[in-house]
Amino acid sequence: MPQLSGDDLGANDELLAFKDEGEQEGKPNVSSERDLDDVKSSLVNESETPSSPDSEADRRPPHPDAESSARLALQLQGAGLYQPSPYVSYPFFMIPDLGNLCSPYLANGALTSSGRTVRRRPTTSSMNKSVNVNLSNVQNRCSVSPAYPHVSVQTAAGRRINRVCFSVCRPGQTMYPMAGGFSPAALAVNASMSRRSSSSSDPDKEEERKPHIKKPLNAFMLYMREERPKVVAQCNVKESATINQILGQRWHSLSKDQQATYYDLARKERLLHSKLYPNWSARDNYPLSLTTKPGRPPHTMGPPSTDTSTSSPPSASSRRSPHPFLPPSHLKQGAL
DNA sequence: AGACCTTTGAAGCGA
DNA sequence: TCGCTTCAAAGGTCT
C-alpha cells in the first residue's frame, strides 16, 4: 500500500503526476512505446515513495484538510482524470444521473451487508484446484484470446448495478471526503452497515459495526469489470467462475502495453484510495480473529489523529512499498 | 441465507 | 526476502 507523507497528500507535485498520466491517457499510444517494465518502474518512482515514519497505531501520516481534499478532487476532475466510467470507484467522482456509475464504494467506502461475502473457512488456494468447467465448449462460441486494440474505460451499457449508491450523490452535488474520512453524518449512516449478515454471532457484532472500506481494485479486477459484460454477451455464459476463467485467459493474451494501461489505472486507484482513506489498511478487512494481535489496536474509522507527537516510526513491514507490478509467480517463470 | 467457485494482483504477516 | 493468506468483483450454483 503506497503511503504518502502528509506533505505529499494533495501536494502540487502529486497532482502534476496525475496530470501527466491524464495526458498520457489522452494519448493512448504513448504507453505503447514503452516496455511494461519501464512503465512499472516509472510508476513506482512516481507514487510509491515510502512515507515518513509514524507509529504503529497510526501508521498513516497526517492528511490534508477537507479543503485540500476538495481541491484535489476538483483538480483531478479538471485534469480529465477519472471520467465517468465503470472504473470510477470513489464517491466524489460519482455522477448519480448516470445510472451505471454506481460505485462499489459507498459514501465512506463501506459496503452493504449483502454486498460482501466473507469466507468462513480458509481458502484452500483455489489456484490449485482443477478447472471444473470445460472451457472448450465456451471457446467454440467465444474467442478466448482476442486482442483489445485499445482499452476503453467506458462501461458497457448494460452493466448491472449491484451496489447501493448513497443519496449523498444528488444531481449536481459532489461528495467530497472529509479529512481522513467522511463527514460524521456519512459515518453515522454507514456505521450501522454491517460487513456481514445480520445473522452473525454476537462476537462479530463489534466488527460488523465497523465501516467496511474495500480494497482498491487491482489491474485484473479493473480489466474484469470492463470486459465481463463483453464476455457475457459474446459467450452467452453467466457463471462468474467460467467468465473469470475466460477473462484470465484473455488477460494473459493482452500485450504488455494493454496490460500496462490497467496497471496504470490500478495504481491510480491505489493512490486515490490512500488519499481518501489514509488510515485504512488491507488488514482491516481481514477477519477479526486475524486482526486482533498484540500491539495492533483495531482500526477505527474517522479522521486520524492530528497529534503527530504521538507518532513513532512504523515497522519496516508496515512501510513496505513493493513493486506494484510484480508479475504473479507463474509469470515469473516465464509464462507470460 | 450465505458460502462456494474462479481469476489475478495487492497487501500484510511470519519465518 | 520468500511464502502464505486474505480480499477485491461477480453471479450462478450448492448446502
Side-chain angles (χ1 to χ4, degrees):
Chain A
M1 191 66 186
Q3 300 305 319
L4 302 169
S5 69
D7 292 338
D8 287 339
L9 292 172
N12 290 337
D13 54 349
E14 192 62 43
L15 293 175
L16 286 175
F18 270 84
K19 187 172 183 178
D20 289 342
E21 291 165 0
E23 291 171 353
Q24 175 180 328
E25 281 186 344
K27 295 182 290 183
N29 290 334
V30 170
S31 64
S32 65
E33 299 172 356
R34 291 189 292 174
D35 182 80
L36 180 58
D37 294 335
D38 295 335
V39 175
K40 293 175 179 179
S41 298
S42 64
L43 292 175
V44 169
N45 295 332
E46 200 170 292
S47 67
E48 304 291 336
T49 305
S51 65
S52 59
D54 61 357
S55 68
E56 177 68 19
D58 186 7
R59 301 181 307 277
R60 273 63 177 184
H63 47 277
D65 56 19
E67 183 180 354
S68 298
S69 296
R71 186 167 60 248
L72 167 65
L74 288 173
Q75 292 193 33
L76 288 173
Q77 289 176 300
L81 296 169
Y82 295 95
Q83 296 298 320
S85 79
Y87 165 70
V88 174
S89 300
Y90 298 94
F92 61 74
F93 296 118
M94 291 168 62
I95 299 179
D97 288 341
L98 303 177
N100 60 340
L101 298 180
C102 275
S103 167
Y105 298 90
L106 298 177
N108 70 337
L111 180 62
T112 62
S113 59
S114 61
R116 182 173 184 268
T117 60
V118 176
R119 291 183 194 278
R120 296 286 186 180
R121 68 185 185 190
T123 337
T124 55
S125 195
S126 59
M127 60 193 81
N128 292 332
K129 292 187 176 181
S130 62
V131 174
N132 297 326
V133 179
N134 185 357
L135 281 179
S136 61
N137 292 335
V138 175
Q139 290 169 356
N140 287 337
R141 290 174 292 165
C142 174
S143 173
V144 176
S145 58
Y148 288 85
H150 175 64
V151 174
S152 168
V153 294
Q154 293 299 319
T155 182
R159 195 174 79 82
R160 81 185 199 93
I161 302 167
N162 68 338
R163 294 291 185 267
V164 174
C165 285
F166 259 97
S167 59
V168 293
C169 299
R170 297 187 179 91
Q173 182 181 20
T174 303
M175 173 70 179
Y176 291 107
M178 298 287 288
F182 289 84
S183 66
L187 286 176
V189 169
N190 292 282
S192 64
M193 310 190 66
S194 83
R195 54 176 288 196
R196 293 185 181 176
S197 76
S198 58
S199 63
S200 299
S201 58
D202 289 341
D204 289 340
K205 286 185 177 179
E206 188 71 18
E207 182 184 7
E208 291 175 9
R209 295 190 183 93
K210 291 164 56 180
H212 182 73
I213 300 173
K214 296 192 293 183
K215 295 173 65 174
L217 302 187
N218 62 38
F220 181 70
M221 288 294 147
L222 293 170
Y223 172 76
M224 281 181 54
R225 200 178 233 188
E226 181 175 307
E227 295 298 319
R228 171 181 292 274
K230 298 178 183 178
V231 171
V232 172
Q234 294 172 2
C235 306
N236 193 29
V237 293
K238 295 180 180 179
E239 297 84 359
S240 289
T242 304
I243 295 169
N244 292 348
Q245 287 180 334
I246 296 171
L247 288 170
Q249 293 184 18
R250 289 190 176 189
W251 174 255
H252 288 301
S253 72
L254 294 180
S255 68
K256 288 183 177 181
D257 289 337
Q258 290 168 331
Q259 287 188 357
T261 303
Y262 290 98
Y263 282 118
D264 192 21
L265 290 174
R267 188 196 63 82
K268 292 174 182 175
E269 279 272 353
R270 293 195 303 274
L271 185 59
L272 179 59
H273 192 279
S274 68
K275 291 179 184 296
L276 289 177
Y277 316 112
N279 278 350
W280 180 86
S281 166
R283 197 69 176 181
D284 296 341
N285 294 358
Y286 281 24
L288 185 61
S289 59
L290 298 178
T291 56
T292 52
K293 297 181 302 179
R296 191 191 189 285
H299 172 64
T300 56
M301 278 294 295
S305 171
T306 55
D307 183 8
T308 56
S309 63
T310 59
S311 297
S312 61
S315 64
S317 61
S318 69
R319 294 172 53 242
R320 186 169 64 93
S321 183
H323 196 294
F325 307 130
L326 285 176
S329 56
H330 66 280
L331 295 181
K332 291 177 182 176
Q333 299 170 0
L336 186 58

